[in-house]
Amino acid sequence: MQASADSTLISASQPGRRITARLRLSWIGLAAILVTLLALVPLGFIFWVTAQTGWQTAIALVFRPRVGELLANTIMLELLAVPACAVLSVALAWLTERSDLPGARLWSWLCVAPLAVPAFIHSYAWVTIVPGLNGLSAGVLVSVLAYFPFLYLPVSAALRRLDPALEDAAAALGHGPWSVFLRVVLPQLRLALCGGALLVGLHLLAEYGLFVFVRFDTFTTAIVDQFQSTFNGPAANMLAGVLIACCFALLTLEMLARGDERYARVGSGAARHPVKAVLGRAALPCLLLLVLVAALSLGVPFYTIARWLGTGGWQVWRMDEISSALGHTTVLALGGAVLATLAAIPMAWLSIRAPGRLQRILEGCNYMVGSLPGVVIALALVTLAVRYLLPLYQTLATILIAYMLMFLPRALISLRASIAQAPPELEQAAMNLGRRPLDALWSTTIRLSAPGAAAGMALVALGILNELTATQMLAPSGTRTLALAFWSYSGEIDYAAAAPYALIMVGASLPLTWLLYVQSRKMAGQ
């Protein structure tokens, strides 16, 4: 009788549970839709401005020699820098993961460490050492040194996870080492290569400071120059439209190159590591390659910063300015990180608790905004504020919204992984104890996903720390972040005064870079 009564109570409570679940889903879904609509504002705004400008004017602004020159520069940069990053990263990953290279663990960290140096600091370092360095060749050189770790990380992680049995089978069939690598290993790295190459390509489209230093014109540098010199809305927006088209072209190419082949296998397979290749006489040349890469990607920036600090002496440490810039950077980084993380919670929860077609569409829109260059997002918000919301122009609210849109995918990815590890039964238990749906969500799932939220906030804060273009265009009057202060002094050719800001930015970025490196090895089971 008692069991029957309990069953009756449970069955009677089911409608109430379904009502509260639907209520919670509706509120979270509404929040996710609002965030997604806000994320689509920059993209929608560019299309709206194009229509308002008039198709004839828009065509005249797009199909002109200057745009053709910028497009040629962009295509050449992508065609040269991305493959170079891929070749270098595959070579370094194979040496550090699949060979008996002495000190492989140390070299693998040194291959990731250049991520801690902002790209414009790489460029600043090279230009101060080689003043005549400029143009496409300079842009490719510095881009490869600054961005190859974005490819090295996924490729090295993929190499650590590959099944050595496939390579053993190919070798048993008579294939030599090069044939095994090209026929067996390299095809299994396709996903890692495509993802890393897409990330590098998008960074190249969005980069500003690096190419200004080496005097190489891209769409991003042209948009910022157009905005700062004449505030020419139509011309800048048309350039932004072409830049968005380039982003979508990269996304399409990556999707086609990735294909739909199966890369997983049935069963866990043998839990063993592949036999390390013996380098023999090639060990010394391979070590020299790694020394050269570390010297160019890390040695040059640190040497340059130390050189200018020594030249400037204690006079360059203007502590009142530095403390003010550090304070402004901290406020913006914390504010942007908190806002982006809060905005990511509804979509992250839906992607785990209520997956479906609508959820996938909404989530895709949230990731899409992350592929847009910051200058496009800033340009859209500037024009909207000037035309329709003038009180919001150059306010803290506008720049925090820009940061939220730019770095939303970073917070979303971290939160989604943590929410997936929080049992949904805890939310139901909290509601059964009388808590309201949103209170139950906050007291259980959100608290359990706090480590993921903290990691996402750290990633967003790092992005804001090194962000330049959107901050230049949207920062409130009087705001001077570390990046802006560095840019101001370097623009005045006062490289010694810029050095302390470069050192602080690199020092703040190194711990997070180490965290990414450690996390990458943990995901591969090492």
Side-chain angles (χ1 to χ4, degrees), residues 57-148:
T57 304
I59 291 173
L61 289 172
V62 170
F63 293 96
R64 53 193 173 113
R66 177 58 174 164
V67 177
E69 178 187 342
L70 295 173
L71 185 60
N73 285 351
T74 299
I75 292 174
M76 290 300 299
L77 179 68
E78 297 281 352
L79 289 178
L80 293 174
V82 175
C85 285
V87 172
L88 179 62
S89 299
V90 170
L92 296 179
W94 188 86
L95 287 174
T96 54
E97 301 298 334
R98 289 301 191 91
S99 74
D100 62 344
L101 185 79
R105 183 63 66 91
L106 172 63
W107 291 116
S108 65
W109 157 241
L110 292 178
C111 288
V112 178
L115 284 179
V117 184
F120 53 83
I121 292 181
H122 278 281
S123 193
Y124 149 84
W126 276 93
V127 167
T128 56
I129 289 179
V130 188
L133 193 66
N134 62 80
L136 176 62
S137 58
V140 171
L141 171 66
V142 181
S143 296
V144 171
L145 295 174
Y147 289 127
F148 82 86

XYZ file of all heavy atoms in Angstrom, residues 57-148:
691
model
N 25.597 53.200 -55.182
C 26.701 53.745 -54.391
C 27.527 52.630 -53.764
O 28.769 52.693 -53.734
C 26.160 54.670 -53.288
O 25.356 55.688 -53.875
C 27.288 55.303 -52.501
N 26.833 51.602 -53.260
C 27.533 50.481 -52.632
C 28.445 49.780 -53.641
O 29.609 49.461 -53.342
C 26.533 49.494 -52.041
N 27.925 49.560 -54.842
C 28.732 48.902 -55.879
C 29.931 49.762 -56.249
O 31.052 49.271 -56.439
C 27.855 48.594 -57.111
C 26.837 47.501 -56.765
C 28.712 48.167 -58.299
C 25.822 47.246 -57.850
N 29.706 51.079 -56.336
C 30.813 51.980 -56.672
C 31.885 51.965 -55.585
O 33.093 52.063 -55.877
C 30.279 53.399 -56.873
N 31.475 51.860 -54.306
C 32.439 51.848 -53.210
C 33.180 50.522 -53.108
O 34.324 50.475 -52.664
C 31.723 52.144 -51.885
C 31.235 53.582 -51.682
C 30.378 53.686 -50.426
C 32.420 54.549 -51.599
N 32.518 49.438 -53.494
C 33.135 48.110 -53.397
C 34.041 47.838 -54.592
O 35.180 47.381 -54.446
C 32.055 47.023 -53.260
C 32.677 45.627 -53.406
C 31.347 47.136 -51.916
N 33.542 48.107 -55.784
C 34.310 47.806 -56.999
C 35.152 49.017 -57.407
O 34.861 49.711 -58.371
C 33.365 47.383 -58.119
C 32.682 46.078 -57.857
C 31.408 46.052 -57.306
C 33.319 44.875 -58.130
C 30.773 44.844 -57.045
C 32.690 43.667 -57.871
C 31.418 43.647 -57.326
N 36.190 49.253 -56.637
C 37.124 50.331 -56.924
C 38.542 49.811 -56.722
O 38.742 48.793 -56.017
C 36.859 51.567 -56.059
C 36.811 51.319 -54.573
C 36.238 52.500 -53.826
N 36.049 52.198 -52.410
C 36.732 52.760 -51.419
N 37.678 53.648 -51.694
N 36.487 52.445 -50.163
N 39.533 50.442 -57.308
C 40.910 49.917 -57.252
C 41.422 49.677 -55.838
O 42.135 48.701 -55.593
C 41.723 50.998 -57.970
C 40.745 51.659 -58.882
C 39.424 51.637 -58.167
N 41.063 50.572 -54.903
C 41.564 50.424 -53.534
C 41.095 49.110 -52.917
O 41.861 48.410 -52.259
C 41.090 51.601 -52.691
C 41.480 51.543 -51.216
C 42.973 51.447 -51.038
N 43.360 51.536 -49.645
C 44.533 51.178 -49.188
N 45.465 50.684 -50.002
N 44.829 51.297 -47.900
N 39.824 48.768 -53.124
C 39.296 47.511 -52.578
C 39.982 46.325 -53.240
O 40.312 45.325 -52.586
C 37.772 47.445 -52.766
C 37.227 46.104 -52.279
C 37.099 48.587 -52.008
N 40.225 46.416 -54.546
C 40.932 45.342 -55.227
C 42.327 45.141 -54.687
O 42.802 44.001 -54.524
N 43.010 46.248 -54.371
C 44.350 46.154 -53.790
C 44.320 45.491 -52.421
O 45.144 44.619 -52.115
C 44.942 47.557 -53.679
C 46.323 47.606 -53.040
C 46.793 49.032 -52.787
O 46.226 49.964 -53.399
O 47.719 49.206 -51.975
N 43.344 45.892 -51.587
C 43.216 45.292 -50.255
C 42.870 43.818 -50.354
O 43.371 42.983 -49.574
C 42.154 46.030 -49.449
C 42.458 47.493 -49.092
C 41.252 48.141 -48.441
C 43.665 47.579 -48.162
N 42.007 43.464 -51.296
C 41.627 42.068 -51.472
C 42.822 41.235 -51.922
O 43.031 40.114 -51.433
C 40.488 41.961 -52.489
C 39.894 40.563 -52.694
C 39.327 40.014 -51.395
C 38.821 40.600 -53.779
N 43.620 41.779 -52.835
C 44.815 41.060 -53.283
C 45.794 40.865 -52.121
O 46.376 39.775 -51.960
C 45.485 41.828 -54.419
N 45.973 41.906 -51.308
C 46.847 41.788 -50.138
C 46.349 40.699 -49.193
O 47.137 39.896 -48.667
C 46.911 43.118 -49.387
C 47.760 44.151 -50.096
O 48.443 43.839 -51.068
N 47.719 45.383 -49.621
N 45.036 40.685 -48.962
C 44.455 39.715 -48.034
C 44.625 38.295 -48.559
O 45.001 37.381 -47.804
C 42.963 40.026 -47.823
O 42.831 41.331 -47.266
C 42.326 39.011 -46.894
N 44.343 38.089 -49.822
C 44.450 36.744 -50.397
C 45.901 36.256 -50.354
O 46.176 35.111 -49.967
C 43.911 36.735 -51.840
C 42.403 36.967 -51.834
C 44.234 35.405 -52.530
C 41.804 37.107 -53.216
N 46.842 37.117 -50.724
C 48.249 36.721 -50.694
C 48.707 36.416 -49.273
O 49.449 35.450 -49.037
C 49.108 37.830 -51.306
C 48.945 37.998 -52.798
S 49.385 36.491 -53.717
C 51.115 36.299 -53.266
N 48.263 37.233 -48.328
C 48.627 36.996 -46.931
C 48.117 35.642 -46.456
O 48.854 34.861 -45.835
C 48.052 38.116 -46.059
C 48.317 38.009 -44.559
C 49.789 38.207 -44.254
C 47.478 39.039 -43.798
N 46.853 35.346 -46.740
C 46.269 34.073 -46.318
C 46.949 32.897 -47.014
O 47.236 31.867 -46.381
C 44.768 34.059 -46.618
C 43.950 35.106 -45.872
C 43.657 34.710 -44.444
O 43.961 33.568 -44.071
O 43.111 35.543 -43.694
N 47.209 33.022 -48.309
C 47.789 31.917 -49.075
C 49.221 31.612 -48.649
O 49.674 30.466 -48.772
C 47.753 32.241 -50.574
C 46.380 32.229 -51.241
C 46.497 32.612 -52.708
C 45.718 30.860 -51.103
N 49.935 32.619 -48.160
C 51.323 32.407 -47.756
C 51.453 32.066 -46.273
O 52.199 31.156 -45.896
C 52.152 33.652 -48.079
C 52.350 33.962 -49.565
C 53.067 35.298 -49.738
C 53.126 32.853 -50.251
N 50.734 32.798 -45.416
C 50.935 32.644 -43.972
C 50.291 31.372 -43.429
O 50.897 30.667 -42.608
C 50.383 33.865 -43.241
N 49.063 31.066 -43.853
C 48.370 29.901 -43.288
C 49.082 28.588 -43.627
O 49.340 27.772 -42.736
C 46.893 29.882 -43.734
C 46.214 28.600 -43.237
C 46.162 31.114 -43.198
N 49.437 28.316 -44.909
C 50.199 27.084 -45.172
C 51.543 27.041 -44.457
O 51.981 25.972 -44.012
C 50.378 27.110 -46.700
C 49.267 27.950 -47.205
C 49.070 28.999 -46.154
N 52.213 28.190 -44.347
C 53.494 28.213 -43.639
C 53.304 27.832 -42.169
O 54.099 27.065 -41.609
C 54.136 29.597 -43.750
N 52.253 28.364 -41.549
C 51.944 27.982 -40.159
C 51.662 26.487 -40.056
O 52.103 25.821 -39.107
C 50.736 28.769 -39.653
S 51.058 30.492 -39.252
N 50.938 25.948 -41.039
C 50.579 24.526 -41.011
C 51.819 23.645 -41.131
O 52.003 22.683 -40.355
C 49.593 24.220 -42.137
N 52.681 23.950 -42.091
C 53.893 23.140 -42.283
C 54.787 23.204 -41.048
O 55.281 22.177 -40.551
C 54.653 23.616 -43.540
C 56.002 22.922 -43.634
C 53.836 23.333 -44.795
N 55.007 24.414 -40.538
C 55.858 24.569 -39.361
C 55.264 23.853 -38.155
O 55.983 23.166 -37.407
C 56.036 26.059 -39.057
C 56.879 26.406 -37.824
C 58.309 25.898 -37.990
C 56.880 27.910 -37.571
N 53.959 23.964 -37.955
C 53.319 23.356 -36.789
C 53.354 21.834 -36.857
O 53.600 21.169 -35.841
C 51.871 23.839 -36.684
O 51.815 25.237 -36.527
N 53.104 21.271 -38.032
C 53.153 19.813 -38.172
C 54.567 19.304 -37.898
O 54.759 18.301 -37.199
C 52.671 19.388 -39.571
C 52.951 17.906 -39.803
C 51.184 19.663 -39.732
N 55.569 20.000 -38.431
C 56.957 19.584 -38.204
C 57.310 19.644 -36.721
O 57.884 18.695 -36.160
C 57.901 20.475 -39.015
N 56.954 20.751 -36.064
C 57.275 20.897 -34.639
C 56.494 19.894 -33.793
O 57.034 19.330 -32.832
C 56.980 22.323 -34.190
C 57.814 23.428 -34.840
C 57.384 24.792 -34.319
C 59.301 23.214 -34.598
N 55.226 19.677 -34.132
C 54.413 18.727 -33.363
C 54.963 17.314 -33.497
O 55.014 16.556 -32.513
C 52.964 18.793 -33.839
N 55.367 16.931 -34.701
C 55.920 15.576 -34.878
C 57.213 15.417 -34.095
O 57.439 14.389 -33.452
C 56.156 15.302 -36.359
C 56.549 13.870 -36.618
C 55.729 12.793 -36.815
C 57.890 13.358 -36.676
N 56.465 11.655 -36.995
C 57.803 11.964 -36.915
C 59.151 13.947 -36.555
C 58.925 11.156 -37.033
C 60.280 13.132 -36.668
C 60.155 11.753 -36.912
N 58.061 16.430 -34.127
C 59.334 16.340 -33.405
C 59.117 16.233 -31.903
O 59.799 15.453 -31.216
C 60.203 17.558 -33.725
C 60.834 17.599 -35.121
C 61.536 18.932 -35.342
C 61.817 16.454 -35.300
N 58.196 17.004 -31.361
C 58.009 17.023 -29.906
C 57.147 15.869 -29.402
O 57.229 15.517 -28.223
C 57.373 18.353 -29.462
O 56.160 18.571 -30.201
C 58.322 19.510 -29.699
N 56.331 15.264 -30.270
C 55.424 14.206 -29.820
C 55.797 12.812 -30.315
O 55.472 11.828 -29.673
C 53.987 14.508 -30.273
C 53.441 15.823 -29.773
C 53.356 15.887 -28.262
O 53.236 14.816 -27.624
O 53.425 17.001 -27.715
N 56.472 12.709 -31.459
C 56.703 11.398 -32.066
C 58.165 11.032 -32.250
O 58.459 10.008 -32.844
C 56.007 11.346 -33.427
C 54.493 11.283 -33.354
C 54.038 10.052 -32.581
N 52.621 9.813 -32.702
C 52.061 9.045 -33.631
N 52.806 8.461 -34.531
N 50.758 8.876 -33.650
N 59.079 11.851 -31.787
C 60.497 11.538 -31.947
C 61.174 11.512 -30.583
O 60.597 11.919 -29.571
C 61.177 12.570 -32.852
O 61.360 13.793 -32.164
N 62.412 11.009 -30.590
C 63.184 10.961 -29.335
C 63.976 12.245 -29.124
O 65.097 12.217 -28.606
C 64.117 9.749 -29.345
C 65.150 9.819 -30.467
O 64.958 10.632 -31.407
O 66.144 9.061 -30.426
N 63.397 13.355 -29.507
C 64.047 14.660 -29.373
C 64.402 14.932 -27.912
O 63.542 14.816 -27.031
C 63.114 15.756 -29.893
C 63.679 17.165 -29.928
C 64.582 17.342 -31.144
C 62.549 18.189 -29.968
N 65.636 15.298 -27.609
C 65.994 15.619 -26.207
C 65.195 16.820 -25.703
O 65.076 17.836 -26.389
C 67.492 15.942 -26.311
C 67.955 15.282 -27.570
C 66.799 15.337 -28.510
N 64.658 16.713 -24.491
C 63.907 17.817 -23.884
C 62.610 18.121 -24.597
O 62.197 19.294 -24.669
N 61.927 17.083 -25.102
C 60.716 17.296 -25.906
C 59.639 18.051 -25.139
O 58.950 18.913 -25.705
C 60.167 15.955 -26.389
N 59.459 17.773 -23.844
C 58.412 18.442 -23.071
C 58.686 19.948 -22.966
O 57.776 20.769 -23.082
C 58.323 17.817 -21.676
C 57.225 18.373 -20.795
C 55.850 18.113 -21.380
N 55.542 16.704 -21.412
C 54.920 16.035 -20.426
N 54.552 16.672 -19.344
N 54.664 14.757 -20.550
N 59.941 20.310 -22.749
C 60.296 21.730 -22.684
C 60.069 22.411 -24.026
O 59.511 23.515 -24.088
C 61.761 21.883 -22.262
C 62.339 23.308 -22.336
C 61.606 24.233 -21.377
C 63.840 23.293 -22.044
N 60.471 21.755 -25.108
C 60.288 22.353 -26.433
C 58.811 22.489 -26.780
O 58.416 23.452 -27.448
C 61.003 21.517 -27.494
C 62.494 21.578 -27.399
C 63.344 20.553 -27.123
C 63.317 22.736 -27.578
N 64.645 20.989 -27.105
C 64.658 22.330 -27.384
C 63.061 24.074 -27.869
C 65.723 23.215 -27.487
C 64.128 24.950 -27.972
C 65.435 24.531 -27.787
N 57.989 21.538 -26.325
C 56.555 21.641 -26.612
C 55.947 22.866 -25.921
O 55.080 23.545 -26.479
C 55.823 20.367 -26.176
O 55.873 20.208 -24.767
N 56.415 23.174 -24.701
C 55.929 24.387 -24.019
C 56.417 25.636 -24.743
O 55.673 26.595 -24.920
C 56.391 24.392 -22.567
C 56.439 25.758 -21.943
C 57.530 26.381 -21.436
C 55.356 26.678 -21.780
N 57.194 27.631 -20.956
C 55.866 27.846 -21.161
C 54.005 26.636 -22.097
C 55.081 28.941 -20.848
C 53.207 27.748 -21.798
C 53.739 28.876 -21.176
N 57.661 25.635 -25.216
C 58.199 26.794 -25.918
C 57.498 27.013 -27.261
O 57.501 28.136 -27.780
C 59.705 26.626 -26.134
C 60.569 26.679 -24.869
C 62.034 26.441 -25.197
C 60.397 27.996 -24.137
N 56.896 25.962 -27.819
C 56.130 26.122 -29.060
C 54.760 26.754 -28.806
O 54.142 27.280 -29.731
C 55.942 24.767 -29.746
S 57.451 24.106 -30.492
N 54.286 26.687 -27.575
C 52.992 27.271 -27.223
C 53.161 28.679 -26.648
O 52.287 29.541 -26.815
C 52.249 26.367 -26.206
C 50.925 26.979 -25.780
C 52.017 24.989 -26.800
N 54.285 28.936 -26.002
C 54.502 30.189 -25.287
C 54.332 31.449 -26.135
O 53.932 32.493 -25.591
C 55.888 30.184 -24.640
N 54.617 31.454 -27.450
C 54.411 32.702 -28.221
C 52.985 33.233 -28.179
O 52.760 34.409 -28.483
C 54.800 32.288 -29.651
C 55.803 31.201 -29.460
C 55.327 30.444 -28.246
N 52.011 32.406 -27.781
C 50.639 32.894 -27.643
C 50.533 33.978 -26.584
O 49.609 34.800 -26.619
C 49.698 31.740 -27.280
C 49.314 30.763 -28.383
C 48.412 29.679 -27.828
C 48.630 31.474 -29.534
N 51.469 33.984 -25.641
C 51.417 34.983 -24.566
C 51.848 36.363 -25.045
O 51.618 37.349 -24.342
C 52.302 34.547 -23.397
N 52.452 36.432 -26.216
C 52.926 37.709 -26.749
C 51.910 38.207 -27.772
O 51.723 37.575 -28.813
C 54.308 37.561 -27.410
C 54.834 38.921 -27.873
C 55.296 36.903 -26.452
N 51.220 39.316 -27.514
C 50.272 39.843 -28.506
C 50.944 40.065 -29.851
O 52.130 40.390 -29.925
C 49.808 41.169 -27.881
C 50.025 40.996 -26.408
C 51.251 40.136 -26.285
N 50.163 39.878 -30.914
C 50.736 39.960 -32.260
C 51.375 41.316 -32.522
O 52.425 41.403 -33.171
C 49.649 39.665 -33.299
N 50.764 42.391 -32.015
C 51.338 43.708 -32.302
C 52.640 43.938 -31.532
O 53.457 44.760 -31.927
C 50.335 44.837 -32.031
C 49.713 44.832 -30.657
C 50.361 45.382 -29.583
C 48.449 44.294 -30.477
C 49.774 45.398 -28.320
C 47.847 44.307 -29.226
C 48.511 44.848 -28.137
N 52.860 43.178 -30.456
C 54.141 43.275 -29.765
C 55.211 42.509 -30.536
O 56.383 42.921 -30.587
C 54.008 42.775 -28.318
C 53.128 43.741 -27.516
C 55.378 42.636 -27.652
C 52.933 43.377 -26.079
N 54.833 41.379 -31.144
C 55.756 40.704 -32.059
C 56.229 41.682 -33.135
O 57.430 41.789 -33.432
C 55.061 39.516 -32.728
C 55.023 38.272 -31.911
N 56.110 37.430 -31.783
C 54.028 37.713 -31.184
C 55.788 36.405 -31.012
N 54.524 36.546 -30.637
N 55.279 42.371 -33.739
C 55.603 43.294 -34.822
C 56.462 44.455 -34.317
O 57.434 44.864 -34.970
C 54.306 43.821 -35.447
O 54.546 44.465 -36.660
N 56.110 44.984 -33.157
C 56.886 46.070 -32.534
C 58.330 45.633 -32.322
O 59.277 46.392 -32.586
C 56.193 46.433 -31.216
C 57.055 46.936 -30.090
C 57.427 48.269 -30.011
C 57.456 46.075 -29.060
C 58.188 48.733 -28.946
C 58.209 46.529 -28.000
C 58.575 47.856 -27.945
O 59.330 48.314 -26.887
N 58.516 44.394 -31.865
C 59.860 43.898 -31.612
C 60.663 43.796 -32.897
O 61.827 44.223 -32.968
C 59.789 42.534 -30.923
N 60.064 43.258 -33.937
C 60.792 43.068 -35.185
C 61.103 44.396 -35.871
O 62.185 44.573 -36.430
C 59.991 42.164 -36.118
C 60.218 40.715 -35.811
C 59.469 39.920 -34.979
C 61.284 39.905 -36.294
N 60.013 38.661 -34.918
C 61.125 38.625 -35.724
C 62.354 40.135 -37.148
C 62.006 37.575 -35.989
C 63.235 39.089 -37.423
C 63.053 37.829 -36.842
N 60.158 45.325 -35.838
C 60.382 46.607 -36.505
C 61.474 47.403 -35.815
O 62.254 48.110 -36.481
C 59.064 47.409 -36.569
C 59.316 48.855 -36.966
C 58.111 46.764 -37.560
N 61.575 47.318 -34.497
C 62.618 48.065 -33.798
C 63.993 47.451 -34.023
O 65.006 48.153 -33.945
C 62.323 48.126 -32.289
O 62.180 46.792 -31.775
C 61.058 48.905 -32.014
N 64.051 46.146 -34.310
C 65.337 45.507 -34.599
C 65.714 45.675 -36.068
O 66.876 45.930 -36.404
C 65.284 44.009 -34.224
C 65.251 43.843 -32.708
C 66.494 43.260 -34.785
C 65.177 42.411 -32.248
N 64.719 45.516 -36.951
C 64.944 45.648 -38.399
C 64.029 46.764 -38.906
O 62.914 46.501 -39.363
C 64.650 44.326 -39.136
C 65.086 44.431 -40.599
C 65.331 43.159 -38.451
N 64.435 48.020 -38.819
C 63.554 49.142 -39.174
C 63.028 49.097 -40.604
O 61.941 49.598 -40.875
C 64.445 50.371 -38.948
C 65.496 49.920 -37.994
C 65.737 48.490 -38.306
N 63.773 48.494 -41.525
C 63.322 48.453 -42.916
C 62.359 47.330 -43.219
O 61.945 47.161 -44.378
N 61.957 46.559 -42.207
C 61.054 45.429 -42.425
C 59.640 45.944 -42.682
O 59.032 46.584 -41.832
C 61.060 44.530 -41.182
C 60.436 43.143 -41.321
C 61.224 42.272 -42.273
C 60.324 42.482 -39.950
N 59.096 45.672 -43.870
C 57.741 46.134 -44.176
C 57.192 45.352 -45.364
O 57.913 44.598 -46.028
C 57.732 47.641 -44.484
C 58.569 47.984 -45.689
O 58.149 47.823 -46.829
N 59.793 48.465 -45.450
N 55.898 45.537 -45.612
C 55.263 44.917 -46.762
C 54.784 43.499 -46.512
O 54.706 43.018 -45.369
N 54.456 42.803 -47.600
C 53.882 41.461 -47.514
C 54.825 40.479 -46.844
O 54.400 39.693 -45.980
C 53.524 40.979 -48.923
C 52.998 39.539 -49.030
C 51.697 39.370 -48.254
C 52.800 39.155 -50.501
N 56.094 40.482 -47.223
C 57.039 39.524 -46.637
C 57.142 39.712 -45.128
O 57.191 38.734 -44.367
C 58.414 39.678 -47.290
O 58.906 41.002 -47.128
N 57.162 40.961 -44.682
C 57.214 41.230 -43.248
C 55.937 40.753 -42.565
O 55.979 40.157 -41.483
C 57.420 42.721 -43.003
N 54.789 41.029 -43.201
C 53.526 40.594 -42.626
C 53.449 39.090 -42.489
O 52.976 38.562 -41.471
N 53.935 38.364 -43.493
C 53.906 36.896 -43.440
C 54.845 36.386 -42.353
O 54.486 35.502 -41.560
C 54.283 36.307 -44.811
C 54.466 34.791 -44.713
C 53.212 36.632 -45.840
N 56.066 36.934 -42.298
C 57.042 36.487 -41.300
C 56.513 36.651 -39.887
O 56.499 35.697 -39.088
C 58.345 37.271 -41.471
C 59.387 37.075 -40.363
C 59.909 35.656 -40.364
C 60.545 38.069 -40.518
N 56.052 37.842 -39.554
C 55.599 38.104 -38.187
C 54.309 37.341 -37.892
O 54.108 36.841 -36.777
C 55.412 39.616 -37.962
C 54.970 39.892 -36.535
C 56.705 40.368 -38.254
N 53.431 37.211 -38.874
C 52.180 36.473 -38.678
C 52.461 35.014 -38.343
O 51.833 34.437 -37.442
C 51.313 36.552 -39.929
O 50.910 37.873 -40.196
N 53.382 34.396 -39.065
C 53.704 32.981 -38.809
C 54.273 32.814 -37.403
O 53.879 31.902 -36.662
C 54.691 32.461 -39.868
C 55.209 31.075 -39.485
C 54.021 32.403 -41.238
N 55.181 33.704 -37.000
C 55.788 33.595 -35.676
C 54.775 33.852 -34.563
O 54.875 33.269 -33.475
C 56.951 34.581 -35.556
C 58.148 34.311 -36.477
C 59.168 35.428 -36.361
C 58.786 32.962 -36.149
N 53.800 34.719 -34.811
C 52.816 35.056 -33.778
C 51.698 34.033 -33.693
O 51.172 33.776 -32.598
C 52.236 36.443 -34.055
N 51.320 33.415 -34.822
C 50.094 32.623 -34.858
C 50.283 31.128 -35.046
O 49.309 30.382 -34.941
C 49.180 33.155 -35.964
C 48.571 34.494 -35.653
C 48.689 35.561 -36.541
C 47.884 34.713 -34.463
C 48.129 36.799 -36.258
C 47.333 35.937 -34.164
C 47.458 36.980 -35.066
O 46.905 38.200 -34.775
N 51.516 30.646 -35.295
C 51.654 29.208 -35.511
C 51.234 28.366 -34.300
O 50.792 27.221 -34.470
C 53.096 28.864 -35.944
C 54.083 28.746 -34.819
C 54.241 27.541 -34.129
C 54.859 29.822 -34.434
C 55.151 27.426 -33.088
C 55.777 29.717 -33.406
C 55.921 28.515 -32.719
